[in-house]
DNA sequence: GCCAATGGTTACTTTTGGTAACTCAAAGGT
DNA sequence: ACCTTTGAGTTACCAAAAGTAACCATTGGC
């Protein structure tokens, strides 16, 4: 029966979730998962990583063009944070006008896998979410 | 040679990333990935999902105790948003004092997989990130 | 001696997140 | 009769983060 299969999968996943939320604190402050969700759980970090991951390297303004809607300030802020965490490599060429290239480090590449799975989920389930939202909107009316 | 293996993996991943960032817009506004990253890219949504995913269901205050640091208001706000998106099921029992139970829907369960992979990455690479941050802090000093 | 191009920064506004106090409704004590 | 407790929230208020717009530095070409 279908329910049983789902239940078995759910049990495994439940155990994995439990394990993650109990990961103990490392060197810096909170438990790693908390800390890292805190850091990348913003509007632009994961998107930046996806875009950087889709090519070898990108210049500042090229990246800005591709990440639709991001402001110049937020792109610098986001990139600096990612650089500080060792996910992005920033290379400045001493030219005029300046040329700055951004690329994922190996650490950044390793995160890309998880981000992609998340992205795949998003595109697969967007219809279901849209439907849920519409149901909610109708119920409120 | 190791480099070749890494490069091949990188090429695959790059292609996947490219695919995701070009997913076209669906019913609501932006491209699904943008929209969904926007929605779950906040401080508490993914954490709430992880905690809900680690059990069958949780009452409001129990969940609040487990998600360390979340305020009452942010927990309600977060849960309402997740409910509106069809990820969380809210069940109110007509008792006094009230009892409200929260559980992941099947849609929520399906997201859990991606979140767990993200969490695993976080605990695996927390040391590397801590190191990068320290390097940055030292360089600034 | 002025403009354009690139990659920013600064000052200001708006939106979001966080805190603390309040509500509701019934049960239990005194 | 009245006060307190309990769970699950609101409401009003304040701080922090994100967004906007304008500005800056360099320098080769006109």
């Amino acid at each position: 029966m279908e329910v049983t299969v789902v239940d078995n999968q759910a049990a495994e996943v439940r155990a994995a979730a439990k394990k993650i939320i109990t990961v103990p604190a490392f060197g810096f402050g909170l438990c790693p998962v908390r800390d890292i969700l805190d850091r990348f759980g913003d509007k632009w970090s994961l998107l930046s990583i996806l875009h950087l991951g889709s090519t070898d390297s990108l210049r500042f303004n090229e990246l800005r063009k591709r990440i639709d809607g991001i402001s110049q300030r937020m792109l610098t802020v986001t990139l600096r944070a990612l650089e500080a965490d060792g996910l992005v490599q920033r290379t400045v060429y001493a030219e005029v006008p300046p040329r700055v290239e951004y690329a994922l480090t190996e650490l950044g590449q390793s995160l890309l896998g998880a981000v992609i799975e998340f992205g795949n989920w998003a595109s697969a389930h967007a219809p279901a979410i849209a439907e849920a939202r519409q149901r909610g909107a109708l119920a409120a009316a």
Side-chain angles (χ1 to χ4, degrees), chain A:
Chain A
M1 216 156 56
E2 209 181 308
V3 176
T4 313
V5 174
V6 170
D7 281 356
N8 284 345
Q9 289 180 342
E12 269 179 53
V13 168
R14 187 158 48 230
K18 206 173 284 183
K19 207 164 123 193
I20 286 170
I21 56 183
T22 55
V23 172
F26 190 74
F28 48 104
L30 299 159
C31 106
V33 178
R34 272 298 299 280
D35 188 85
I36 279 160
L37 281 176
D38 240 48
R39 209 50 110 90
F40 304 136
D42 65 6
K43 222 171 160 177
W44 305 112
S45 292
L46 294 184
L47 264 178
S48 301
I49 287 173
L50 268 177
H51 278 272
L52 287 172
S54 74
T55 57
D56 272 355
S57 81
L58 285 171
R59 299 182 60 173
F60 184 86
N61 277 329
E62 180 59 26
L63 189 51
R64 186 154 123 74
K65 259 180 265 169
R66 295 191 186 197
I67 305 179
D68 191 67
I70 196 169
S71 70
Q72 202 164 25
R73 197 177 79 91
M74 286 319 294
L75 183 55
T76 36
V77 168
T78 302
L79 288 172
R80 290 286 145 82
L82 293 176
E83 194 195 358
D85 283 359
L87 297 167
V88 162
Q89 167 84 41
R90 180 170 180 268
T91 314
V92 184
Y93 296 89
E95 303 171 359
V96 168
R99 181 159 63 99
V100 182
E101 301 221 320
Y102 291 92
L104 289 183
T105 61
E106 213 170 302
L107 186 60
Q109 289 280 345
S110 75
L111 175 55
L112 199 51
V115 179
I116 284 170
E117 184 169 331
F118 196 83
N120 283 333
W121 182 90
S123 36
H125 295 85
I129 289 180
E131 203 197 317
R133 282 182 194 171
Q134 278 204 329
R135 262 202 310 277
L138 290 177

Short mmCIF file of all heavy atoms in Angstrom, two decimals, chain A residues 18-60:
data_model
loop_
_atom_site.label_atom_id
_atom_site.label_comp_id
_atom_site.label_asym_id
_atom_site.label_seq_id
_atom_site.Cartn_x
_atom_site.Cartn_y
_atom_site.Cartn_z
N LYS A 18 16.20 14.96 12.83
CA LYS A 18 16.49 15.00 14.26
C LYS A 18 17.99 15.14 14.48
O LYS A 18 18.44 15.92 15.31
CB LYS A 18 15.97 13.70 14.90
CG LYS A 18 15.65 13.83 16.38
CD LYS A 18 14.96 12.58 16.92
CE LYS A 18 13.51 12.46 16.50
NZ LYS A 18 12.82 11.30 17.09
N LYS A 19 18.74 14.39 13.70
CA LYS A 19 20.19 14.43 13.84
C LYS A 19 20.72 15.84 13.58
O LYS A 19 21.57 16.34 14.31
CB LYS A 19 20.80 13.45 12.83
CG LYS A 19 22.15 12.90 13.24
CD LYS A 19 22.50 11.67 12.41
CE LYS A 19 23.79 11.80 11.66
NZ LYS A 19 23.96 10.76 10.65
N ILE A 20 20.18 16.46 12.55
CA ILE A 20 20.71 17.77 12.16
C ILE A 20 20.44 18.84 13.20
O ILE A 20 21.30 19.64 13.53
CB ILE A 20 20.13 18.18 10.80
CG1 ILE A 20 20.80 17.36 9.70
CG2 ILE A 20 20.33 19.66 10.54
CD1 ILE A 20 20.17 17.51 8.36
N ILE A 21 19.23 18.84 13.73
CA ILE A 21 18.91 19.92 14.66
C ILE A 21 19.59 19.76 16.00
O ILE A 21 19.56 20.65 16.83
CB ILE A 21 17.38 20.06 14.89
CG1 ILE A 21 16.79 18.73 15.37
CG2 ILE A 21 16.70 20.55 13.65
CD1 ILE A 21 15.30 18.77 15.54
N THR A 22 20.26 18.62 16.19
CA THR A 22 20.96 18.44 17.46
C THR A 22 22.48 18.50 17.30
O THR A 22 23.21 18.20 18.24
CB THR A 22 20.59 17.09 18.10
OG1 THR A 22 20.84 16.05 17.15
CG2 THR A 22 19.12 17.06 18.49
N VAL A 23 22.93 18.89 16.13
CA VAL A 23 24.37 19.06 15.94
C VAL A 23 24.87 20.08 16.97
O VAL A 23 24.30 21.15 17.10
CB VAL A 23 24.70 19.54 14.52
CG1 VAL A 23 26.17 19.88 14.40
CG2 VAL A 23 24.33 18.48 13.50
N PRO A 24 25.91 19.74 17.71
CA PRO A 24 26.35 20.63 18.78
C PRO A 24 27.10 21.85 18.25
O PRO A 24 27.51 21.88 17.08
CB PRO A 24 27.29 19.73 19.59
CG PRO A 24 27.84 18.79 18.59
CD PRO A 24 26.76 18.57 17.57
N ALA A 25 27.27 22.81 19.10
CA ALA A 25 27.95 24.04 18.72
C ALA A 25 29.41 23.76 18.39
O ALA A 25 30.05 22.91 19.00
CB ALA A 25 27.85 25.06 19.85
N PHE A 26 29.92 24.48 17.42
CA PHE A 26 31.32 24.37 17.02
C PHE A 26 32.02 25.61 17.56
O PHE A 26 31.53 26.27 18.47
CB PHE A 26 31.39 24.29 15.50
CG PHE A 26 32.75 23.94 15.00
CD1 PHE A 26 33.24 22.64 15.12
CD2 PHE A 26 33.55 24.91 14.42
CE1 PHE A 26 34.50 22.32 14.67
CE2 PHE A 26 34.82 24.58 13.97
CZ PHE A 26 35.29 23.30 14.09
N GLY A 27 33.14 25.95 16.96
CA GLY A 27 33.93 27.08 17.45
C GLY A 27 33.13 28.36 17.66
O GLY A 27 33.32 29.06 18.63
N PHE A 28 32.23 28.66 16.72
CA PHE A 28 31.60 29.97 16.75
C PHE A 28 30.12 29.86 17.13
O PHE A 28 29.31 29.34 16.40
CB PHE A 28 31.74 30.67 15.40
CG PHE A 28 31.38 29.81 14.24
CD1 PHE A 28 30.17 29.99 13.58
CD2 PHE A 28 32.24 28.82 13.78
CE1 PHE A 28 29.84 29.20 12.50
CE2 PHE A 28 31.90 28.03 12.70
CZ PHE A 28 30.70 28.22 12.06
N GLY A 29 29.81 30.35 18.30
CA GLY A 29 28.44 30.54 18.74
C GLY A 29 27.52 29.35 18.67
O GLY A 29 27.70 28.37 19.37
N LEU A 30 26.53 29.43 17.80
CA LEU A 30 25.43 28.49 17.76
C LEU A 30 25.81 27.17 17.13
O LEU A 30 26.94 26.98 16.69
CB LEU A 30 24.29 29.09 16.93
CG LEU A 30 23.72 30.39 17.47
CD1 LEU A 30 23.00 31.14 16.37
CD2 LEU A 30 22.75 30.08 18.60
N CYS A 31 24.88 26.26 17.05
CA CYS A 31 25.10 25.03 16.33
C CYS A 31 25.30 25.37 14.85
O CYS A 31 24.72 26.33 14.34
CB CYS A 31 23.94 24.06 16.55
SG CYS A 31 22.83 23.84 15.17
N PRO A 32 26.16 24.63 14.16
CA PRO A 32 26.56 24.99 12.79
C PRO A 32 25.37 25.21 11.88
O PRO A 32 25.36 26.13 11.06
CB PRO A 32 27.35 23.78 12.33
CG PRO A 32 27.76 23.07 13.55
CD PRO A 32 26.76 23.37 14.60
N VAL A 33 24.37 24.35 12.03
CA VAL A 33 23.24 24.44 11.12
C VAL A 33 22.51 25.76 11.33
O VAL A 33 22.18 26.47 10.38
CB VAL A 33 22.29 23.25 11.34
CG1 VAL A 33 21.10 23.36 10.44
CG2 VAL A 33 23.03 21.96 11.08
N ARG A 34 22.28 26.10 12.57
CA ARG A 34 21.69 27.38 12.91
C ARG A 34 22.48 28.52 12.31
O ARG A 34 21.97 29.40 11.62
CB ARG A 34 21.66 27.57 14.43
CG ARG A 34 20.44 27.03 15.08
CD ARG A 34 19.21 27.72 14.57
NE ARG A 34 19.19 29.14 14.83
CZ ARG A 34 18.86 29.68 15.99
NH1 ARG A 34 18.50 28.90 16.98
NH2 ARG A 34 18.89 30.97 16.15
N ASP A 35 23.76 28.47 12.56
CA ASP A 35 24.64 29.55 12.14
C ASP A 35 24.64 29.71 10.63
O ASP A 35 24.59 30.81 10.10
CB ASP A 35 26.04 29.26 12.63
CG ASP A 35 26.95 30.43 12.40
OD1 ASP A 35 26.98 31.33 13.23
OD2 ASP A 35 27.62 30.44 11.33
N ILE A 36 24.68 28.57 9.94
CA ILE A 36 24.83 28.63 8.49
C ILE A 36 23.50 28.97 7.82
O ILE A 36 23.45 29.72 6.83
CB ILE A 36 25.46 27.33 7.97
CG1 ILE A 36 26.97 27.44 8.20
CG2 ILE A 36 25.16 27.09 6.52
CD1 ILE A 36 27.69 26.16 8.21
N LEU A 37 22.42 28.47 8.38
CA LEU A 37 21.11 28.89 7.87
C LEU A 37 20.95 30.39 8.08
O LEU A 37 20.43 31.10 7.22
CB LEU A 37 19.98 28.15 8.59
CG LEU A 37 19.71 26.74 8.13
CD1 LEU A 37 18.63 26.09 8.98
CD2 LEU A 37 19.29 26.73 6.67
N ASP A 38 21.43 30.86 9.22
CA ASP A 38 21.40 32.29 9.50
C ASP A 38 22.14 33.08 8.43
O ASP A 38 21.70 34.13 7.98
CB ASP A 38 22.08 32.53 10.85
CG ASP A 38 21.17 33.17 11.84
OD1 ASP A 38 20.03 32.69 11.98
OD2 ASP A 38 21.58 34.16 12.46
N ARG A 39 23.27 32.56 8.03
CA ARG A 39 24.12 33.29 7.10
C ARG A 39 23.58 33.26 5.67
O ARG A 39 23.57 34.26 4.97
CB ARG A 39 25.52 32.71 7.15
CG ARG A 39 26.62 33.68 6.84
CD ARG A 39 26.50 34.96 7.66
NE ARG A 39 27.51 35.11 8.67
CZ ARG A 39 28.68 35.71 8.49
NH1 ARG A 39 28.96 36.31 7.37
NH2 ARG A 39 29.56 35.76 9.45
N PHE A 40 23.16 32.10 5.22
CA PHE A 40 22.73 31.98 3.83
C PHE A 40 21.22 32.13 3.69
O PHE A 40 20.71 32.13 2.58
CB PHE A 40 23.17 30.63 3.25
CG PHE A 40 24.63 30.45 3.35
CD1 PHE A 40 25.17 29.25 3.76
CD2 PHE A 40 25.49 31.50 3.06
CE1 PHE A 40 26.54 29.10 3.89
CE2 PHE A 40 26.85 31.36 3.18
CZ PHE A 40 27.38 30.15 3.59
N GLY A 41 20.55 32.21 4.83
CA GLY A 41 19.12 32.40 4.76
C GLY A 41 18.80 33.86 4.55
O GLY A 41 18.12 34.46 5.36
N ASP A 42 19.28 34.44 3.50
CA ASP A 42 18.90 35.80 3.16
C ASP A 42 18.44 35.82 1.73
O ASP A 42 18.32 34.79 1.07
CB ASP A 42 20.04 36.79 3.42
CG ASP A 42 21.21 36.53 2.50
OD1 ASP A 42 21.09 35.68 1.61
OD2 ASP A 42 22.25 37.17 2.68
N LYS A 43 18.17 36.98 1.24
CA LYS A 43 17.51 37.06 -0.05
C LYS A 43 18.43 36.70 -1.22
O LYS A 43 17.97 36.22 -2.25
CB LYS A 43 16.98 38.49 -0.24
CG LYS A 43 15.61 38.53 -0.83
CD LYS A 43 15.05 39.94 -0.81
CE LYS A 43 13.93 40.06 -1.81
NZ LYS A 43 13.29 41.35 -1.80
N TRP A 44 19.71 36.94 -1.08
CA TRP A 44 20.56 36.91 -2.25
C TRP A 44 21.70 35.90 -2.24
O TRP A 44 22.23 35.57 -3.30
CB TRP A 44 21.17 38.31 -2.47
CG TRP A 44 20.15 39.38 -2.57
CD1 TRP A 44 19.93 40.39 -1.66
CD2 TRP A 44 19.19 39.58 -3.61
NE1 TRP A 44 18.91 41.19 -2.08
CE2 TRP A 44 18.44 40.73 -3.28
CE3 TRP A 44 18.91 38.90 -4.80
CZ2 TRP A 44 17.41 41.21 -4.09
CZ3 TRP A 44 17.89 39.38 -5.60
CH2 TRP A 44 17.16 40.52 -5.24
N SER A 45 22.06 35.38 -1.10
CA SER A 45 23.25 34.52 -1.04
C SER A 45 23.13 33.28 -1.92
O SER A 45 24.00 33.01 -2.74
CB SER A 45 23.51 34.08 0.41
OG SER A 45 23.90 35.19 1.18
N LEU A 46 22.03 32.55 -1.75
CA LEU A 46 21.91 31.31 -2.51
C LEU A 46 21.78 31.60 -4.01
O LEU A 46 22.33 30.88 -4.83
CB LEU A 46 20.71 30.50 -2.01
CG LEU A 46 20.87 29.98 -0.58
CD1 LEU A 46 19.68 29.11 -0.20
CD2 LEU A 46 22.16 29.20 -0.41
N LEU A 47 21.07 32.67 -4.33
CA LEU A 47 20.96 33.04 -5.75
C LEU A 47 22.33 33.38 -6.33
O LEU A 47 22.66 32.97 -7.44
CB LEU A 47 20.04 34.24 -5.90
CG LEU A 47 18.61 33.93 -6.25
CD1 LEU A 47 17.82 35.22 -6.31
CD2 LEU A 47 18.53 33.21 -7.59
N SER A 48 23.12 34.12 -5.58
CA SER A 48 24.46 34.48 -6.05
C SER A 48 25.28 33.21 -6.28
O SER A 48 25.98 33.09 -7.29
CB SER A 48 25.16 35.36 -5.03
OG SER A 48 24.42 36.53 -4.79
N ILE A 49 25.16 32.29 -5.34
CA ILE A 49 25.92 31.04 -5.47
C ILE A 49 25.48 30.27 -6.71
O ILE A 49 26.30 29.75 -7.46
CB ILE A 49 25.77 30.20 -4.20
CG1 ILE A 49 26.58 30.85 -3.08
CG2 ILE A 49 26.21 28.78 -4.42
CD1 ILE A 49 26.37 30.23 -1.73
N LEU A 50 24.18 30.23 -6.94
CA LEU A 50 23.68 29.55 -8.14
C LEU A 50 24.23 30.20 -9.41
O LEU A 50 24.68 29.50 -10.33
CB LEU A 50 22.15 29.62 -8.18
CG LEU A 50 21.41 28.45 -7.55
CD1 LEU A 50 19.92 28.70 -7.60
CD2 LEU A 50 21.75 27.15 -8.28
N HIS A 51 24.20 31.51 -9.46
CA HIS A 51 24.67 32.19 -10.67
C HIS A 51 26.17 32.01 -10.85
O HIS A 51 26.63 31.76 -11.96
CB HIS A 51 24.29 33.67 -10.61
CG HIS A 51 22.88 33.92 -11.03
ND1 HIS A 51 22.52 34.14 -12.34
CD2 HIS A 51 21.73 33.95 -10.32
CE1 HIS A 51 21.21 34.31 -12.40
NE2 HIS A 51 20.71 34.21 -11.20
N LEU A 52 26.92 32.15 -9.77
CA LEU A 52 28.36 31.94 -9.88
C LEU A 52 28.65 30.50 -10.25
O LEU A 52 29.60 30.21 -10.98
CB LEU A 52 29.05 32.30 -8.56
CG LEU A 52 29.14 33.80 -8.28
CD1 LEU A 52 29.66 34.05 -6.88
CD2 LEU A 52 30.03 34.48 -9.31
N GLY A 53 27.81 29.59 -9.75
CA GLY A 53 28.04 28.18 -10.04
C GLY A 53 27.72 27.81 -11.48
O GLY A 53 28.14 26.76 -11.96
N SER A 54 26.99 28.66 -12.15
CA SER A 54 26.60 28.34 -13.52
C SER A 54 27.68 28.72 -14.54
O SER A 54 27.55 28.44 -15.72
CB SER A 54 25.29 29.04 -13.87
OG SER A 54 25.50 30.41 -14.05
N THR A 55 28.74 29.37 -14.08
CA THR A 55 29.86 29.70 -14.97
C THR A 55 31.18 29.55 -14.20
O THR A 55 31.18 29.28 -13.01
CB THR A 55 29.79 31.17 -15.45
OG1 THR A 55 29.78 32.00 -14.30
CG2 THR A 55 28.55 31.42 -16.27
N ASP A 56 32.26 29.76 -14.91
CA ASP A 56 33.56 29.71 -14.25
C ASP A 56 33.75 30.91 -13.34
O ASP A 56 34.12 30.79 -12.18
CB ASP A 56 34.67 29.69 -15.30
CG ASP A 56 34.99 28.27 -15.71
OD1 ASP A 56 34.42 27.35 -15.11
OD2 ASP A 56 35.80 28.10 -16.63
N SER A 57 33.53 32.09 -13.91
CA SER A 57 33.68 33.30 -13.12
C SER A 57 32.90 34.43 -13.79
O SER A 57 32.63 34.39 -14.98
CB SER A 57 35.15 33.68 -12.97
OG SER A 57 35.59 34.34 -14.12
N LEU A 58 32.56 35.43 -13.00
CA LEU A 58 31.76 36.54 -13.51
C LEU A 58 32.29 37.86 -12.98
O LEU A 58 32.74 37.94 -11.83
CB LEU A 58 30.29 36.38 -13.07
CG LEU A 58 29.45 35.33 -13.79
CD1 LEU A 58 28.12 35.16 -13.09
CD2 LEU A 58 29.25 35.74 -15.24
N ARG A 59 32.19 38.88 -13.79
CA ARG A 59 32.53 40.22 -13.33
C ARG A 59 31.36 40.80 -12.56
O ARG A 59 30.22 40.34 -12.69
CB ARG A 59 32.87 41.11 -14.52
CG ARG A 59 34.04 40.60 -15.29
CD ARG A 59 34.39 41.52 -16.42
NE ARG A 59 34.72 42.86 -15.93
CZ ARG A 59 35.19 43.81 -16.72
NH1 ARG A 59 35.37 43.58 -18.01
NH2 ARG A 59 35.48 44.99 -16.23
N PHE A 60 31.65 41.83 -11.79
CA PHE A 60 30.64 42.41 -10.91
C PHE A 60 29.37 42.79 -11.65
O PHE A 60 28.27 42.33 -11.30
CB PHE A 60 31.22 43.64 -10.21
CG PHE A 60 30.29 44.25 -9.20
CD1 PHE A 60 30.27 43.78 -7.90
CD2 PHE A 60 29.45 45.28 -9.56
CE1 PHE A 60 29.41 44.33 -6.97
CE2 PHE A 60 28.59 45.83 -8.63
CZ PHE A 60 28.56 45.36 -7.34
#
